[in-house]
Amino acid sequence: MARVLLTGGAGFIGSHTADELIRRGHSVRALDLLDPQIHGAERSWPSHLHPDVEKVMGDVRDVEQATRALAGIDAVVHLAAQTGVGQSMYEIRGYVDANCTGTAALIQALVQSKQKIKRFVLASSRAVYGEGGRSCDRCGPLFPGPRCREDMEHGRFDIVCPRCGEETRSIPTAEDAPTQPLSVYAWTKRKQEELCQFAAQTYGLPVTILRYFNVYGSRQSLLNPYTGVVSIFYSRLLASQPISIYERGKPERDFIHVSDVVQANLLALDAEVPPGTCINVGQGTVTTIPHLARALAQACDRTADLQDTGEFRAGDILSCYADLQRSDQLLGYQPNVTLEAGMAEFVAWARGQAAVDRYQTTVEELERHGLFGRAAARST
């Protein structure tokens, strides 16, 4: 039986992780700021949080508050972070402060208090990779950098081989791939990793870094328009509004259900792996955005009205999906939830929640900051 601190413990992944920890007999303390963008203006603890969770309202960026939250704790799962890729591109200070300062303050609290913990799990992101691995049939594997905006404005969204100019295809991205963040959010996640690896080397922090891919499932915020594509699409379907498909429907993602992320969190708390090790947590398969939208619509018993106007966002990638060999070898992790089953679980929960369609607000904000574009119309 362990005493586990979950920073961001009232959130989407944190609350599910708390449920499973308590089911297995552990005690859980949740430290959470209760950000109004996620939890509403009243900043109240969510009703779905397990009643046995010890609730501490506080800011992980405050070293004193972090120190108090760590008292008597055996292990930490550090989930507290701002997570919107698009929003991070103009709310730069807020994202750097929450993600980087928060991680630094938590590590400082551990160092100053000289508290020994058994495991520190950092929730990182596949965003640190930038574009995922690609392969050219002629030249072999490659790791492309950011795409050119001018190409995207002319409707050229695919990635071609920089050596021979041939089209490339997506391949699984392993943890030793280069990290090339394309958004402020991604940059902050890489800095979190670097801070933790520094602490592992210098102070022996027993940290395991989990790179989550695109997480979805029940308790995902339906009020925060930056929380993820599944909740955005659900709100559009509920409002009988068309779903905008970016980049001609070409983007691909690795969607992972929250219960599989929880599985990885608990495995990482138990596994003895070298401090500072990075481990992918995904489904290990690739899904196009139109396929996701149709799967969600089917779970809702609705028809998806997919609208293709060649829109794109700065900071987005074309494709990335997880190589799971390391997570299998080091953690014994195997994803269990199919996309169809995961969509059914999400919709069954979401039907009992209030949902607000704020998609157009996010588009207007991105346009105002020059981060939203549309390709020239295709010739007929």
Side-chain angles (χ1 to χ4, degrees):
M1 182 173 179
R3 295 160 295 180
V4 183
L5 172 67
L6 303 177
T7 70
F12 166 40
I13 297 172
S15 65
H16 280 287
T17 302
D19 285 349
E20 186 61 17
L21 284 166
I22 290 169
R23 189 186 73 81
R24 297 190 186 191
H26 304 296
S27 61
V28 175
R29 179 180 297 157
L31 173 66
D32 205 297
L33 184 63
L34 300 177
D35 186 341
Q37 184 167 281
I38 300 168
H39 297 284
E42 66 281 4
R43 298 179 70 181
S44 58
W45 292 91
S47 59
H48 57 244
L49 192 63
H50 197 289
D52 290 344
V53 170
E54 180 188 351
K55 305 175 185 68
V56 178
M57 185 174 177
D59 192 336
V60 73
R61 296 170 294 181
D62 186 308
V63 175
E64 291 185 4
Q65 291 185 40
T67 301
R68 288 194 294 270
L70 285 164
I73 290 296
D74 300 310
V76 176
V77 181
H78 181 33
L79 297 157
Q82 297 277 23
T83 59
V85 170
Q87 187 184 40
S88 77
M89 299 291 277
Y90 52 88
E91 293 286 348
I92 298 169
R93 179 175 175 177
Y95 273 72
V96 172
D97 192 27
N99 298 357
C100 300
T101 304
T103 302
L106 188 58
I107 292 170
Q108 182 172 327
L110 281 167
V111 170
Q112 287 184 345
S113 65
K114 301 188 185 317
Q115 183 170 339
K116 299 296 182 183
I117 58 172
K118 296 175 182 176
R119 185 70 56 203
F120 184 108
V121 177
L122 172 68
S124 187
S125 168
R126 65 100 200 138
V128 300
Y129 295 120
E131 288 290 351
R134 311 287 297 182
S135 184
C136 169
D137 289 341
R138 180 180 298 177
C139 303
L142 63 140
F143 300 96
R147 292 172 291 170
C148 172
R149 180 160 185 153
E150 183 179 355
D151 283 344
M152 298 174 77
E153 288 172 345
H154 286 85
R156 297 189 292 268
F157 300 115
D158 289 312
I159 296 173
V160 299
C161 177
R163 295 189 286 274
C164 70
E166 293 293 322
E167 288 189 5
T168 64
R169 55 186 170 81
S170 183
I171 59 174
T173 301
E175 292 86 349
D176 57 1
T179 56
Q180 305 179 89
L182 300 183
S183 67
V184 173
Y185 167 71
W187 181 88
T188 65
K189 299 310 284 186
R190 187 173 71 176
K191 291 302 176 186
Q192 283 186 303
E193 291 189 4
E194 291 172 352
L195 278 165
C196 287
Q197 287 168 335
F198 166 79
Q201 294 164 7
T202 308
Y203 301 106
L205 182 71
V207 61
T208 300
I209 298 166
L210 300 183
R211 290 175 173 167
Y212 301 157
F213 278 64
N214 297 79
V215 189
Y216 71 96
S218 58
R219 304 179 188 172
Q220 190 167 0
S221 176
L222 300 178
L223 303 176
N224 179 5
Y226 309 100
T227 194
V229 69
V230 173
S231 61
I232 293 169
F233 285 4
Y234 178 77
S235 298
R236 298 295 281 176
L237 285 166
L238 222 60
S240 299
Q241 293 296 313
I243 292 174
S244 294
I245 299 298
Y246 290 176
E247 301 186 29
R248 309 295 187 203
K250 294 178 179 291
E252 301 169 323
R253 298 291 186 270
D254 184 337
F255 290 98
I256 177 71
H257 190 262
V258 64
S259 63
D260 283 326
V261 171
V262 171
Q263 176 203 161
N265 287 345
L266 269 71
L267 287 169
L269 285 171
D270 287 338
E272 294 294 336
V273 300
T277 300
C278 297
I279 302 175
N280 286 339
V281 178
Q283 184 71 20
T285 58
V286 68
T287 300
T288 66
I289 301 302
H291 180 76
L292 171 80
R294 293 188 185 101
L296 177 60
Q298 184 176 5
C300 295
D301 295 321
R302 296 186 178 229
T303 300
D305 177 10
L306 305 184
Q307 188 176 77
D308 172 14
T309 59
E311 297 170 339
F312 63 89
R313 299 188 313 176
D316 274 356
I317 64 165
L318 179 62
S319 181
C320 187
Y321 73 106
D323 183 315
L324 298 179
Q325 291 185 68
R326 184 180 292 181
S327 59
D328 180 22
Q329 292 168 359
L330 297 184
L331 301 182
Y333 165 81
Q334 289 288 336
N336 296 315
V337 182
T338 64
L339 183 69
E340 291 71 24
M343 287 296 139
E345 188 272 349
F346 169 80
V347 170
W349 165 81
R351 281 182 170 143
Q353 310 300 313
V356 181
D357 178 18
R358 294 176 177 164
Y359 170 72
Q360 195 55 41
T361 300
T362 67
V363 169
E364 290 169 1
E365 289 183 0
L366 290 168
E367 285 185 316
R368 189 162 59 249
H369 292 91
L371 299 169
F372 190 84
R374 292 181 180 84
R378 290 182 286 194
S379 59
T380 56

